[in-house]
Amino acid sequence: MEGEERRLAASLTARYSEWVLEELDELRGSFLLTDPAMPGHPIVYASRGLASLTGYPRRELLGRNARLFQGAATDRAAVSGVREAVRTQRAHQVAILNYRRDGSPHWVLLHLAPVFHAADGRVLHFLAVQVPIAAAPRRHPGRPAAFAACREEARGEEELPCASHVGEVFVDIDKRGMETRRRLEAEEPRIASVCDKEMALSTANKIFSTLNRYSKLTGLVVCERRCDSVGIPALSSSLNLSLGRIKQSFVLTDRHLPDMPIVYASDAFLSLTGYSREEILGCNCRFLNGPGTSAEVLEEINQHICLEEACTVHLLNYRKDGSTFRDLLHVSPIRNSSGKVAFHVWVHLDESAKHDFSGLTPEVWQLGAVGAVRVAVRSLSASGSLLRPSQ
């Protein structure tokens, strides 16, 4: 058994150094790490918080598949969504009914995220954070909320002029009946709050920060997003130089490549978001999104991109450290000298920060960046020098 534990631990220590286990043990939260390269996709690390939440001793979790938390009432659609996220190697959040070691059900927000090798984009581990979802307060029609929480033995006909409701509130008198009732209530679907989602994301960010820091000791740098720039055309030095003179925060994306990846990021954008250029080149812009980002606004952006139209929206986005910012975002197509869309420019502005717009409105300031990008692209596309010659 000890040999098996050492083998599982080596999945982490060989990639993140011997000290990573102690550092992970210091982190608060309920989480686990699995290794998709090992037979059965086993759990190779379980936090103290996970043991406390589920009732499973950590040694009992290691080596087992994470499906052991599922049970009879676990929603199959939720399970399928998790499996699809694992198959496609992408992050995923879902509210799911799990079961503790003693068989009791409980709702959690499951935050699943792959851990990528920064150099070649391979998935090394999957991180799964579990945040308990509290039950909504139960109220009974026609009775004050305080009465619903009272014990039957403390309430009698003499004390409450509402004896006709006693059977309605205290339906289950014996211990077995109460246990059945609690179990049925626990199996009622629950919705994760924004606070739950923020907590899951914050915990995941701390874990990724730890893994990234210790992975550098072994020379194997990891990241939470596959940002593999292999196959992404490199912009010419002339275009990079022209774009580098633009001081606003923006990125260029190429709609003609799979998943519309970022092919250029300005220094101001890196300063705003906290990411390095190497981390985001080749990524889709969705890496800025989080639990509070409006899906409706994202759909609006996609529609304008498909129609090759510009749009300006207000969006809640997330920095690398998990903090949020109110983003005044302008997205516009950039056409080459022949009139075809070569890129899309995304100009970001933190609405809560102080800016010197030199007497201009924020929107006009952003349009200035769009105009500068447009001039650089059109002038260089006419000479055929948008990409490096080797491309």
Side-chain angles (χ1 to χ4, degrees), residues 7 11 15 34-42 122-126:
R7 185 178 72 89
S11 171
R15 289 162 174 159
T34 65
D35 190 336
M38 299 179 71
H41 197 154
R122 286 183 296 118
V123 173
L124 301 177
H125 294 101
F126 276 93

Side-chain angles (χ1 to χ4, degrees), residues 253-306:
T253 61
D254 193 332
R255 179 184 170 189
H256 306 292
L257 294 175
D259 206 28
M260 200 172 177
I262 294 171
V263 295
Y264 179 87
S266 70
D267 290 338
F269 176 82
L270 303 179
S271 177
L272 170 64
T273 63
Y275 289 95
S276 67
R277 188 168 279 108
E278 292 72 22
E279 287 180 297
I280 63 175
L281 289 180
C283 292
N284 183 282
C285 287
R286 73 174 67 91
F287 74 88
L288 290 175
N289 305 156
T293 306
S294 170
E296 290 78 11
V297 175
L298 295 178
E299 179 59 29
E300 179 184 348
I301 295 172
N302 289 332
Q303 290 176 1
H304 282 280
I305 289 174
C306 291

Side-chain angles (χ1 to χ4, degrees), residues 180-307:
T180 299
R181 179 175 177 177
R182 282 195 294 267
R183 188 176 295 269
L184 290 174
E185 290 177 355
E187 292 177 1
E188 293 179 0
R190 296 184 188 175
I191 300 175
S193 66
V194 172
C195 182
D196 294 332
K197 295 177 181 179
E198 294 281 5
M199 183 180 298
L201 186 62
S202 174
T203 301
N205 285 336
K206 291 175 183 177
I207 297 165
F208 273 109
S209 177
T210 297
L211 296 179
N212 179 269
R213 184 168 68 254
Y214 280 91
S215 68
K216 293 177 181 178
L217 299 178
T218 64
L220 174 71
V221 181
V222 300
C223 58
E224 57 188 300
R225 296 174 182 85
R226 178 184 281 121
C227 295
D228 182 8
S229 58
V230 176
I232 304 300
L235 302 184
S236 70
S237 57
S238 298
L239 182 55
N240 271 303
L241 185 62
S242 296
L243 296 175
R245 297 192 184 101
I246 304 171
K247 301 306 180 184
Q248 286 96 326
S249 171
F250 71 95
V251 296
L252 284 187
T253 61
D254 193 332
R255 179 184 170 189
H256 306 292
L257 294 175
D259 206 28
M260 200 172 177
I262 294 171
V263 295
Y264 179 87
S266 70
D267 290 338
F269 176 82
L270 303 179
S271 177
L272 170 64
T273 63
Y275 289 95
S276 67
R277 188 168 279 108
E278 292 72 22
E279 287 180 297
I280 63 175
L281 289 180
C283 292
N284 183 282
C285 287
R286 73 174 67 91
F287 74 88
L288 290 175
N289 305 156
T293 306
S294 170
E296 290 78 11
V297 175
L298 295 178
E299 179 59 29
E300 179 184 348
I301 295 172
N302 289 332
Q303 290 176 1
H304 282 280
I305 289 174
C306 291
L307 295 173

